[in-house]
Amino acid sequence: MYVFGKGFNYGEDGPGNRLVIHLSGCNMRCKWCSNPNGFSPTAGKRVTAEEMLDEILSCKPMFFGGGGVTFTGGEATLWHDELKPLLISLKKEGIHTALETNGTDERLPELLPYVDYLMMDFKHYDGETLKAFTGMDNGVVKENFAYNCRRQIPQHIRIPLINGFNADGAEGFVAFFTKHDTSLTDFEFLAYHEYGREKWQTEYQMKNAFITKEQLTKFNQAFANSGLKVIKT
């Protein structure tokens, strides 16, 4: 595996104090991405699963407050074959595991028995719009979301709200989510920011993408009125 970033934070990428590992490579090309430096699957440093396991175990005293390790990206599930045995080993060692994913891995359900906390993006309910902004549609994302609902797998769904992309589409999101049993699902809205703008080596394409308070309020109201649980981390 290749790693282009890692570090600790508290409560932002899963519960407690966590070692967050950014695995290299992504199959999406979101125009607003905060980590375009991780697009390449060989960005950063090559690390074996054994080396990564040893490092994580050495950090165990730091996993306070219900913390542990979070795998993110890039898109961590592109390393599915390497990640699965690592997750299994971590579970055996009693390490709390979290995964941040865009939800496009068809084999995501194979990883879930070894993931204690799942964070999954759901960027848009319309596949063509999503493809225009990221290069991929949402067919597999919808399937994985539905699977988790059917199997009663807890999931934390993150929706980046971006003007000109999805910030006026609260009703469309609600219409899709309310078709499913979301009793173990919670949602979080991530307002557009430009923290990663300076990392882009090509022209940054997003313009007038910040959302208004009114747009955010409309999402909060629409989800609350439909019984969808919204949280902030």
Side-chain angles (χ1 to χ4, degrees):
M1 291 181 281
Y2 280 80
V3 175
F4 73 94
K6 61 185 175 182
F8 276 90
N9 69 40
Y10 190 93
E12 294 182 10
D13 296 277
N17 199 47
R18 310 195 68 80
L19 174 62
V20 181
I21 299 175
H22 292 262
L23 299 181
S24 304
C26 191
N27 53 352
M28 283 187 167
R29 290 295 182 269
C30 302
K31 298 178 185 295
W32 57 85
C33 183
S34 295
N35 293 308
N37 52 317
F39 281 161
S40 169
T42 56
K45 180 182 178 182
R46 185 177 182 275
V47 181
T48 67
E50 292 77 14
E51 291 170 335
M52 192 175 295
L53 177 60
D54 288 343
E55 179 177 7
I56 294 168
L57 292 178
S58 73
C59 295
K60 197 170 184 178
M62 296 294 293
F63 298 152
F64 53 84
V69 62
T70 297
F71 294 101
T72 184
E75 175 48 43
T77 61
L78 292 183
W79 297 97
H80 181 110
D81 292 337
E82 294 82 3
L83 187 58
K84 183 176 179 180
L86 179 57
L87 287 169
I88 292 173
S89 296
L90 289 169
K91 290 292 288 183
K92 290 179 179 178
E93 294 288 345
I95 303 294
H96 187 279
T97 59
L99 174 66
E100 289 185 307
T101 177
N102 61 24
T104 59
D105 181 10
E106 294 180 351
R107 297 186 293 163
L108 179 61
E110 297 177 22
L111 300 178
L112 298 183
Y114 317 106
V115 173
D116 295 305
Y117 190 76
L118 175 66
M119 293 163 281
M120 192 168 79
D121 287 352
F122 197 101
K123 296 177 172 69
H124 210 292
Y125 55 87
D126 181 75
E128 289 302 314
T129 303
L130 181 65
K131 189 172 184 178
F133 279 79
T134 70
M136 293 193 71
D137 65 26
N138 61 5
V140 176
V141 181
K142 286 184 172 181
E143 290 174 6
N144 281 329
F145 176 85
Y147 174 89
N148 294 338
C149 292
R150 289 195 308 272
R151 298 297 295 269
Q152 292 290 284
I153 296 172
Q155 56 183 337
H156 176 62
I157 301 297
R158 289 176 164 175
I159 304 173
L161 294 184
I162 300 165
N163 189 50
F165 171 59
N166 65 1
D168 293 314
E171 294 82 2
F173 282 97
V174 167
F176 173 76
F177 292 138
T178 52
K179 294 177 182 177
H180 304 276
D181 178 359
T182 59
S183 55
L184 294 182
T185 301
D186 56 47
F187 301 87
E188 182 176 17
F189 306 132
L190 305 177
Y192 172 79
H193 60 75
E194 295 186 348
Y195 300 152
R197 185 184 186 110
E198 301 304 318
K199 298 179 185 179
W200 283 79
Q201 296 181 358
T202 57
E203 181 183 358
Y204 190 75
Q205 299 182 37
M206 300 302 295
K207 303 182 188 303
N208 301 316
F210 289 99
I211 65 168
T212 64
K213 291 182 179 179
E214 290 75 17
Q215 287 171 317
L216 179 58
T217 296
K218 190 169 183 179
F219 263 84
N220 278 304
Q221 290 178 342
F223 275 58
N225 292 341
S226 302
L228 299 170
K229 182 181 179 182
V230 175
I231 66 171
K232 294 181 180 181
T233 62

